Amino acid sequence: MNLPNANTDLSFFIQRIDVFVLRVPADPPVQTSFGIMKDRPAVLLRVLDPDGTYGWGEVWSNFPVVGAEHRGRMAATYLPQLVYGRRWESPQACFAALTDKLAVLAIQAGEPGPIQQIIAGLDVAIWDMVARRAGLPLWQLLGAPHATASPVIALYASGINPTDPEKLAAQKLTEGYRAFKLKVGFGEERDLRNLAAVREVIGPDLPFMVDANQAWSVQEAIAAGRRMANFDLGWLEEPVRADTSNADWAKLAREQPLALAGGENLAGTADLLAFAETEGVAVVQPDIGKWGGFSGCVPVGRAVQSLGKRFCPHWLGAGIGLTASLHLKAAVGGPGYVEVDANPNLLRDLFAGDAFRVVDGRVSLHTAPGMGVEPDLAACREHVTYQSP
């Protein structure tokens, strides 16, 4: 990574890893083309060094809807035994070693996703800890290009459900959001009706995107892209399964008019960059809590920018991961947005902190050390479903 100070000490020793799993009701439930979330989970990791310096990370845990506690227990079981007892030269070295050491377990258990996710969450926590120790905001430690006293990050309101979406879009508009993304994949008539309703509310000029959550075949996606063309959409996200061949993504790009976006369900530098290099892919969206943490996603983001594509981190969880996504975008720079779930989420609001204030579609990052988040676990003790010993 390109660090602002070559003398910055990135080495660390972890004395303790704490794991917390929380759930709060989702009202209204979050609807996608493949499932409904009736509550909002969060898997939080806290790392501490021998001097008491700490850092926070978050593990992606939305699906399956019963999977958050499993990820929490997995993190508490496997991460300490691999991380404790040695000084690591850098977060990147730890990330690479854990990825290598847990590869066989991922195969044996048939669970590469959860294992990649607990490594990613730990990496975020370690970077937060190292930045706090250095007395630097994390975006600065990561070498944010053209860094200012407070980077300003563009946002879009995401997760707008197919039930009365214009009401939520109108609410987000009044809250300061200036870009929006609607869930589609619920039938041609319903999708078109919702597109028209949201576009009418936000007006003809504000950015408007759609997300199909892997709902269609290639031919169905081509037809959908064509019928949605008149709504001036910024991108069509995951219209097909994430494991669709890059050749079929290119076919989709050629045969319908909308720019394509994806990447939240890809893992690994090679797969993400191959996707970014695909004809017609305009927006790449890795999820920092799903794969890579900062150690994986910052280099990928910079490579995506070098290809002339937009880098827009995916996030639909609690406030630690959202804050990490903002620092990730600041570190990579370039045009694009960070995703913010438009639906109520107590765990996002409590853990993102008071610094998260949307003004004219943007949020300014602070200059406090690390990510600057101080989760108030006492305020949501009743929502804790698992805590490591």
Side-chain angles (χ1 to χ4, degrees):
M1 290 185 186
N2 176 31
L3 296 174
N5 183 351
N7 297 319
T8 303
D9 180 13
L10 296 181
S11 67
F12 63 92
F13 186 99
I14 293 180
Q15 183 167 291
R16 182 177 176 87
I17 300 173
D18 295 317
V19 182
F20 307 90
V21 181
L22 305 96
R23 288 182 181 273
V24 297
D27 183 18
V30 179
Q31 303 174 61
T32 73
S33 60
F34 60 81
I36 297 176
M37 295 172 60
K38 295 183 179 180
D39 59 28
R40 307 304 301 267
V43 179
L44 306 184
L45 305 183
R46 180 175 61 192
V47 298
L48 294 96
D49 73 6
D51 297 323
T53 305
Y54 57 90
W56 286 94
E58 183 174 347
V59 178
W60 183 92
S61 59
N62 290 345
F63 290 98
V65 294
V66 295
E69 289 75 16
H70 173 58
R71 287 166 172 82
R73 291 186 176 93
M74 185 178 287
T77 300
Y78 289 104
L79 295 180
Q81 63 182 270
L82 295 174
V83 173
Y84 290 177
R86 61 171 285 188
R87 177 165 291 278
W88 296 89
E89 66 180 68
S90 68
Q92 300 101 309
C94 185
F95 173 79
L98 291 183
T99 299
D100 178 64
K101 289 179 181 296
L102 288 170
V104 171
L105 178 62
I107 295 170
Q108 182 70 29
E111 292 195 285
I115 288 173
Q116 290 165 345
Q117 291 150 22
I118 64 173
I119 296 172
L122 180 68
D123 184 81
V124 169
I126 290 170
W127 275 106
D128 185 32
M129 179 184 71
V130 170
R132 288 175 191 259
R133 187 189 64 200
L136 296 172
L138 184 51
W139 55 263
Q140 186 176 352
L141 180 65
L142 292 169
H146 312 298
T148 67
S150 184
V152 178
I153 308 299
L155 312 172
Y156 69 89
S158 178
I160 298 177
N161 289 331
T163 302
D164 299 322
E166 68 279 6
K167 294 180 181 178
L168 185 55
Q171 176 187 330
K172 293 292 131 177
L173 190 63
T174 64
E175 291 176 9
Y177 287 85
R178 297 294 180 264
F180 306 83
K181 189 174 77 178
L182 172 69
K183 296 288 188 183
V184 294
F186 300 92
E188 177 178 346
E189 182 179 346
R190 190 180 189 188
D191 286 349
L192 291 176
R193 182 174 64 248
N194 285 340
L195 282 160
V198 173
R199 180 50 91 184
E200 181 176 359
V201 165
I202 67 174
D205 300 323
L206 292 183
F208 185 23
M209 292 77 75
V210 291
D211 186 355
N213 291 117
Q214 309 181 77
W216 300 311
S217 69
V218 173
Q219 287 305 129
E220 288 170 336
I222 290 170
R226 290 173 177 173
R227 65 176 173 258
M228 294 188 292
N230 293 331
F231 292 96
D232 190 21
L233 299 175
W235 71 63
L236 169 58
E237 184 172 331
E238 283 200 326
V240 294
R241 278 175 39 167
D243 61 357
T244 297
S245 72
N246 289 335
D248 276 341
W249 277 92
K251 172 183 171 67
L252 176 57
R254 289 192 300 269
E255 297 189 19
Q256 61 80 46
L258 302 180
L260 299 178
E264 69 183 84
N265 290 308
L266 298 178
T269 301
D271 284 351
L272 279 160
L273 293 187
F275 178 73
E277 293 168 352
T278 299
E279 174 192 353
V281 170
V283 182
V284 182
Q285 306 164 301
D287 187 305
I288 195 171
K290 207 168 194 179
W291 172 83
F294 288 107
S295 293
C297 288
V298 170
V300 165
R302 290 175 178 161
V304 167
Q305 301 279 38
S306 72
L307 293 169
K309 308 295 179 75
R310 281 181 288 168
F311 178 74
C312 298
H314 172 271
W315 187 254
L316 213 72
I320 303 294
L322 173 58
T323 305
S325 299
L326 295 168
H327 282 261
L328 171 61
K329 182 58 183 171
V332 171
Y337 307 93
V338 168
E339 179 174 28
V340 181
D341 186 10
N343 298 284
N345 185 347
L346 176 66
L347 302 181
R348 178 195 60 223
D349 298 341
L350 282 177
F351 299 156
D354 293 338
F356 187 79
R357 296 188 181 93
V358 181
V359 178
D360 198 24
R362 298 172 182 271
V363 66
S364 296
L365 292 185
H366 53 72
T367 57
M371 294 193 298
V373 289
E374 303 293 344
D376 185 357
L377 293 176
C380 51
R381 184 178 292 116
E382 65 184 287
H383 301 297
V384 174
T385 60
Y386 170 80
Q387 181 174 341
S388 58

